[in-house]
Amino acid sequence: MQLEKTLETLAQDAVRAATGLDVPPQLRPTADPAHGDYQVNAALSLAKELKKNPREIAGTIAEELRRVPAFCRVEVAGPGFVNLTLERAWLAEQLRRDVLDLEHDGIPQLSSKERIVVDFSSPNIAKQMHVGHLRSTILGDALIRILRALGHEVTGVNHIGDWGTQYGLLLTGMREFGDAAALSESPIAELERIYKAASQRAKEDEAFAERARAELAALQAGNEENLALWRRFVDTTRAELDRVYARLGVTFDSWRGESAYNDDLPGVVERAIGSGLAREDQGAIGVFWPEIEGAPDRLKKQAEPFLIRKKDGAFLYATTDLAALFYRDSVLGADEILYVVDARQANHFEQLFALGALLGVRAKPHHISFGTILDENGKPLKTRDGVAVTLSSLLDEAVARARSRIEEGIAEGKLRLDPSAIDDVAEAVGIGAVKYADLRQNRRSDYQFDWDKMVSFQGNAGPYLQYAYARVAAIFDKAGETIREPNHELDLGEEAAFELAKTLARFGEAVEAAGRTHQPHLLTDHLFALAKAFMSFYEACPILKAEGALQKSRLTLAALTARQLERGLGLLGIRAPARM
Ligand code: ARG
């Protein structure tokens, strides 16, 4: 359920009935439990508007709220707060709907479903995927899962960088000093090697550079042999990427990358010129923002144009993105398009979206921007030899560290795990830890990579939540029930049970807010709060030792906790092993 959203609606109705004004009730959790569970603060700001005493207004709002069955105590306090104490029987009844909702576990199903395209991961051929692509992959995957759970129709696209001027160098380099075996074995490393060597060579050897330009022109003109070799680059790279994605548990609905838009590019440039938005300057074509009527203010002041064709006739990253935007809008019929790309590309997307809007694109694009991953010194994360950390090496290290934590836990008697399960659980915990460390951050900020915190079984970390889940699951193992069976009446008389129930009742709005604002950390915040509330509950209210209706109620609260942890982790793309 969506506890705060429900209470907010009730409070807004009360404020309207009391004052005739439809304004946000300013509902907040109380800081001190002695004052109840929530407070409504609207009277203070309304006092100015209505030129009345705030306590008087609070009094009339309180009168309305006293008629609402959700509250057992309503009191005016201080200069004009209305303090609310939840009626536990009401909360129990509301939460029971989530208990019975085996299909969605209380995640609201939106009535306004949208068609959403999510452009994420999108690495480049012939370059190692680096940690920047890791954030895009993890964030994009979580957003897709969350948006689907809310009922949206989502298409996940890997807009892979598989076309561009570098292919002249790659084709020539491959033919002259490429290693075919290495290309099959580890294509990305080999292509990266060829690319580096070829660009170096092109600088020193004009004849080589000339051959590369000729091969590029032949490729662009559709030369069969060059196309076949280019296909091989793409396919081998794709196979290698697939292994990383499989390990991450990430899938795509489409791999429609840059090359797929190649034929559209001349038309896209024509369309921009035809509409009067783009023009020629020294042989190149671009949009010159200060000249554009209806351009956003910030861009109006931007001197650099948005280039869509170079003076040698070559198209750019921007041209392809414009073609993809048209395609997603008109062919895929997207209502919204999410571009999960790091913050450094903010200006590119700002220009792309502005131009798209001026050209009549109806779909609403959003740049789902994110910060950089920093090392312990606050510098962008690199390995010792100074190159960006590759994704696979990072995942290997995470799994190795998770494994040693697990072995420690077993030696200390804290974890119980069959030796045959260690490999699988270490993989789930290691990969889950990397994902969680990323998702728990406000995506817009840079964050510091901290191995110790990341693989910790304590605090706001993936392993802690997986461990919490396994602990609840173990109760059901002992009780001989699954976590989806208990659906008894809830008794929230005990303080710890009431606290747990209040947290459980916020799952729906946590998922809804994470999806609406594209911020998965709103969901990790909920899961962390839930795991903590459960641990306190479990200490105060033993389950298997209890009896009768009380045991059934406690068991039901534990079951809903397990279901939310399992589903919540699932929405983040994190596995929840049942035993550890
Ligand atoms: N390939 C690009 C890069 O690695 C990211 C592409 C993002 N998506 C897009 N439609 N521009 O920087």
Side-chain angles (χ1 to χ4, degrees):
M1 74 168 293
Q2 307 186 69
L3 177 61
E4 286 194 1
K5 201 175 160 209
T6 307
L7 297 178
E8 208 161 297
T9 308
L10 295 171
Q12 182 150 356
D13 291 346
V15 171
R16 193 188 313 104
T19 66
L21 295 174
D22 206 13
V23 293
Q26 302 185 32
L27 181 93
R28 312 267 180 276
T30 51
D32 177 355
H35 298 149
D37 303 298
Y38 285 94
Q39 61 190 56
V40 166
N41 297 346
L44 296 166
S45 42
L46 283 174
K48 280 186 211 114
E49 202 174 326
L50 298 172
K51 298 202 175 66
K52 273 195 195 154
N53 177 337
R55 268 193 78 94
E56 195 180 309
I57 301 175
T60 57
I61 295 174
E63 222 164 285
E64 294 296 329
L65 285 166
R66 286 196 185 99
R67 295 193 199 128
V68 178
F71 309 113
C72 61
R73 229 176 72 198
V74 178
E75 277 173 348
V76 176
F81 306 118
V82 183
N83 290 341
L84 304 168
T85 304
L86 284 177
E87 167 59 50
R88 298 185 184 195
W90 175 84
L91 182 61
E93 196 185 295
Q94 299 289 316
L95 200 52
R96 202 170 142 70
R97 293 191 209 159
D98 285 11
V99 170
L100 298 176
D101 179 12
L102 289 176
E103 199 181 340
H104 302 295
D105 293 325
I107 297 173
Q109 297 304 294
L110 302 181
S111 50
S112 56
K113 298 194 193 316
E114 298 207 308
R115 191 171 289 180
I116 303 175
V117 170
V118 180
D119 175 326
F120 74 118
S121 194
S122 308
N124 303 312
I125 302 272
K127 267 197 209 148
Q128 290 287 356
M129 247 212 256
H130 53 71
V131 283
H133 293 113
L134 176 69
R135 281 201 98 171
S136 173
T137 310
I138 293 173
L139 260 168
D141 180 58
L143 286 174
I144 289 172
R145 292 170 190 264
I146 291 168
L147 292 168
R148 280 199 181 126
L150 292 164
H152 293 299
E153 195 187 304
V154 187
T155 308
V157 183
N158 198 343
H159 184 80
I160 187 145
D162 60 358
W163 198 248
T165 48
Q166 73 272 32
Y167 284 97
L169 289 169
L170 283 169
L171 289 166
T172 313
M174 181 69 211
R175 290 201 175 107
E176 299 186 15
F177 44 78
D179 177 341
L183 183 66
S184 315
E185 193 65 20
S186 41
I188 300 178
E190 174 61 3
L191 286 170
E192 203 171 38
R193 181 189 73 82
I194 294 173
Y195 183 69
K196 277 190 196 137
S199 20
Q200 189 55 38
R201 177 87 181 268
K203 276 184 209 137
E204 295 154 1
D205 177 350
E206 186 41 41
F208 180 87
E210 186 46 49
R211 289 202 291 285
R213 278 193 290 274
E215 294 304 344
L216 177 65
L219 176 73
Q220 286 168 337
N223 173 290
E224 289 292 337
E225 259 171 68
N226 282 8
L227 276 172
L229 190 51
W230 165 76
R231 262 267 129 244
R232 227 177 101 65
F233 293 161
V234 176
D235 290 346
T236 48
T237 301
R238 160 108 194 237
E240 185 172 342
L241 291 174
D242 272 335
R243 286 197 290 276
V244 180
Y245 292 135
R247 198 165 178 203
L248 288 170
V250 171
T251 55
F252 299 89
D253 301 299
S254 156
W255 281 72
R256 203 176 154 74
E258 297 191 6
S259 66
Y261 299 100
N262 194 36
D263 294 345
D264 301 349
L265 302 182
V268 162
V269 173
E270 284 314 311
R271 182 165 164 186
I273 296 174
S275 66
L277 294 163
R279 68 164 171 83
E280 195 256 21
D281 179 57
Q282 299 169 45
I285 310 279
V287 176
F288 293 79
W289 293 110
E291 302 166 6
I292 306 295
E293 209 178 302
D297 288 345
R298 254 180 46 81
L299 289 177
K300 271 249 176 212
K301 293 183 206 119
Q302 176 172 309
E304 303 91 297
F306 190 52
L307 282 188
I308 53 176
R309 207 179 76 191
K310 290 201 231 171
K311 68 168 183 279
D312 64 4
F315 300 108
L316 297 100
Y317 182 56
T319 328
T320 305
D321 252 334
L322 196 54
L325 179 57
F326 291 149
Y327 178 84
R328 291 164 183 177
D329 180 46
S330 59
V331 181
L332 298 183
D335 298 305
E336 295 196 49
I337 310 170
L338 312 186
Y339 293 82
V340 190
V341 187
D342 74 70
R344 288 169 304 180
Q345 296 194 27
N347 184 248
H348 165 74
F349 286 113
E350 187 182 9
Q351 299 183 79
L352 175 70
F353 298 168
L355 181 55
L358 290 165
L359 286 166
V361 167
R362 194 197 45 92
K364 247 181 93 184
H366 304 270
H367 178 198
I368 306 303
S369 153
F370 54 83
T372 310
I373 307 183
L374 307 171
D375 64 15
E376 60 273 24
N377 303 314
K379 302 252 166 60
L381 191 66
K382 302 262 169 81
T383 51
R384 261 164 255 111
D385 45 6
V387 287
V389 178
T390 66
L391 207 47
S392 335
S393 65
L394 186 117
L395 297 180
D396 286 342
E397 171 134 19
V399 172
R401 283 175 185 259
R403 176 182 256 282
S404 52
R405 282 303 173 94
I406 290 168
E407 281 163 353
E408 268 166 46
I410 295 174
E412 289 164 12
K414 286 186 194 136
L415 297 178
R416 237 161 269 143
L417 206 57
D418 201 73
S420 68
I422 293 182
D423 277 349
D424 184 56
V425 173
E427 181 81 11
V429 171
I431 306 273
V434 172
K435 290 188 176 187
Y436 193 88
D438 203 293
L439 294 169
R440 62 165 280 220
Q441 309 290 336
N442 180 328
R443 62 176 160 79
R444 290 179 188 82
S445 30
D446 296 347
Y447 77 90
Q448 225 150 3
F449 205 78
D450 183 335
W451 281 114
D452 291 328
K453 261 195 214 152
M454 188 150 82
V455 295
S456 172
F457 280 91
Q458 263 139 35
N460 195 1
Y464 173 69
L465 290 175
Q466 288 170 317
Y467 177 64
Y469 171 74
R471 279 194 68 178
V472 203
I475 299 168
F476 291 89
D477 256 9
K478 282 198 200 127
E481 284 188 67
T482 73
I483 60 170
R484 287 177 190 270
E485 274 168 286
N487 62 0
H488 312 287
E489 294 293 335
L490 298 175
D491 173 351
L492 304 181
E494 295 160 305
E495 230 28 62
F498 178 50
E499 287 304 319
L500 175 60
K502 274 194 286 183
T503 310
L504 284 166
R506 303 205 47 208
F507 183 51
E509 63 205 3
V511 177
E512 191 277 331
R516 177 170 39 81
T517 67
H518 314 121
Q519 299 186 107
H521 80 273
L522 299 177
L523 177 55
T524 64
D525 285 353
H526 172 79
L527 296 177
F528 182 48
L530 177 60
K532 281 192 295 189
F534 180 77
M535 295 299 185
S536 316
F537 165 74
Y538 194 47
E539 241 161 70
C541 308
I543 297 174
L544 297 176
K545 280 185 220 136
E547 282 170 7
L550 191 61
Q551 181 187 56
K552 289 189 162 145
S553 166
R554 289 178 181 175
L555 202 59
T556 304
L557 286 171
L560 192 55
T561 303
R563 286 162 54 187
Q564 288 191 6
L565 286 172
E566 184 193 48
R567 193 181 287 255
L569 288 170
L571 293 179
L572 301 170
I574 297 174
R575 281 206 283 146
R579 290 212 178 111
M580 61 191 249

